[in-house]
Amino acid sequence: MRPLDPRLIREARATIWFIATVVALALLATAATVAIAFSLASFIVGIFVDGREFAEVGHHLGLALAAAAIRATVHFVQEWAGFRASAEVKRRLRSRALDVISNRASGVGKSHGTGSLSMLLSSGLESLDVYFAKYVPQLVFTALVTPFFVALVWFLDPTSATALIFTLPLIPIFMILIGLVTKDVQQKQLHALEQLNGHFYEILRGIQTLKIFDRTERQTATLRSVALEHRNRTMRVLRVSFL
């Protein structure tokens, strides 16, 4: 999946205004973040380095608080816009998924597992809330604020900017390494979740037959065992991911 997947953007016309809103708010958030950093630095240096009175540098602290309030407001509006866009995308994708299920029931189109479709229509679509409300705004904000901060630091102190240029790339490099390690574990976890969903769906379909032949207790034990294995796999994924 790409950082900004065009397939999701094409699914809803509402995301056109969403992307424009995110970029505009990210620019405002970048300015607010720079104002916070500059005001706090001026306040701290004025008090602890230059030895000035609080009355002389107190306005810097006030500016930092005002910028922080703007940053918090921007964050709220970004999430609100993200949830609006996510709701539109989920509606369109859910409609298309139901069409796929209908075609599958009539024998048309590619066959899909019941577990995969169940997970897609539930947790799969719901995860788009986080994608649009948190991931996309943070992606745009990071893409804007990082070069801006480096340019600003270069203007103020070229030595510090040089250190930033050489150390910042280490962050995505280590994230890529961790991602490569967790990819295989997550794929196994996804496969296990699909199997669990499919097994539960098959039990629901045959619940009357199981009652007739008195096999419900055995299936309950099987589900309990599968759920326990799923929990253990989830913890293994989390242990690696939290690195």
Side-chain angles (χ1 to χ4, degrees), residues 19-99:
I19 295 299
T21 302
V22 165
V23 172
L25 291 175
L27 290 173
L28 181 59
T30 300
T33 304
V34 172
I36 292 171
F38 194 84
S39 299
L40 286 179
S42 300
F43 176 78
I44 293 172
V45 170
I47 292 293
F48 296 101
V49 178
D50 298 337
R52 300 169 67 181
E53 296 294 331
F54 180 85
E56 299 180 73
V57 294
H59 64 281
H60 290 299
L61 186 59
L63 290 175
L65 294 175
I70 295 174
R71 180 73 181 90
T73 303
V74 167
H75 179 73
F76 172 80
V77 176
Q78 280 180 335
E79 290 205 354
W80 173 82
F83 282 119
R84 285 283 306 274
S86 175
E88 175 65 15
V89 173
K90 287 191 297 183
R91 184 187 66 80
R92 294 175 64 90
L93 289 178
R94 186 173 286 111
S95 176
R96 291 181 59 184
L98 292 175
D99 289 339

Side-chain angles (χ1 to χ4, degrees), residues 196 199-200 203-204 206-207 210-211 214-229:
L196 179 60
H199 188 71
F200 184 68
I203 290 177
L204 289 179
I207 190 67
L210 292 173
K211 287 183 176 180
D214 196 22
R215 298 291 184 179
T216 54
E217 290 298 328
R218 178 175 297 181
Q219 289 300 323
T220 301
T222 302
L223 274 179
R224 186 180 296 110
S225 175
V226 173
L228 179 60
E229 177 62 23

Side-chain angles (χ1 to χ4, degrees), residues 191-207:
H191 180 66
L193 184 58
E194 290 178 353
Q195 287 183 324
L196 179 60
N197 285 339
H199 188 71
F200 184 68
Y201 178 74
E202 294 298 330
I203 290 177
L204 289 179
R205 290 205 306 176
I207 190 67

Side-chain angles (χ1 to χ4, degrees), residues 3 5 13 20 32 53 62 67 75 79 115 139 141 164 195 213 232 241:
D5 199 318
R13 295 178 181 177
E53 296 294 331
H75 179 73
E79 290 205 354
L139 177 67
F141 173 72
L164 281 178
Q195 287 183 324
F213 292 97
N232 292 334
S241 298

Side-chain angles (χ1 to χ4, degrees), residues 157-199:
D157 186 359
T159 303
S160 298
T162 302
L164 281 178
I165 292 172
F166 283 100
T167 55
L168 280 178
L170 295 177
I171 298 175
I173 289 175
F174 280 108
M175 293 177 67
I176 291 171
L177 293 176
I178 294 174
L180 292 175
V181 173
T182 57
K183 180 180 178 180
D184 183 60
V185 181
Q186 289 173 342
Q187 287 295 331
K188 292 179 179 179
Q189 172 70 1
L190 179 62
H191 180 66
L193 184 58
E194 290 178 353
Q195 287 183 324
L196 179 60
N197 285 339
H199 188 71

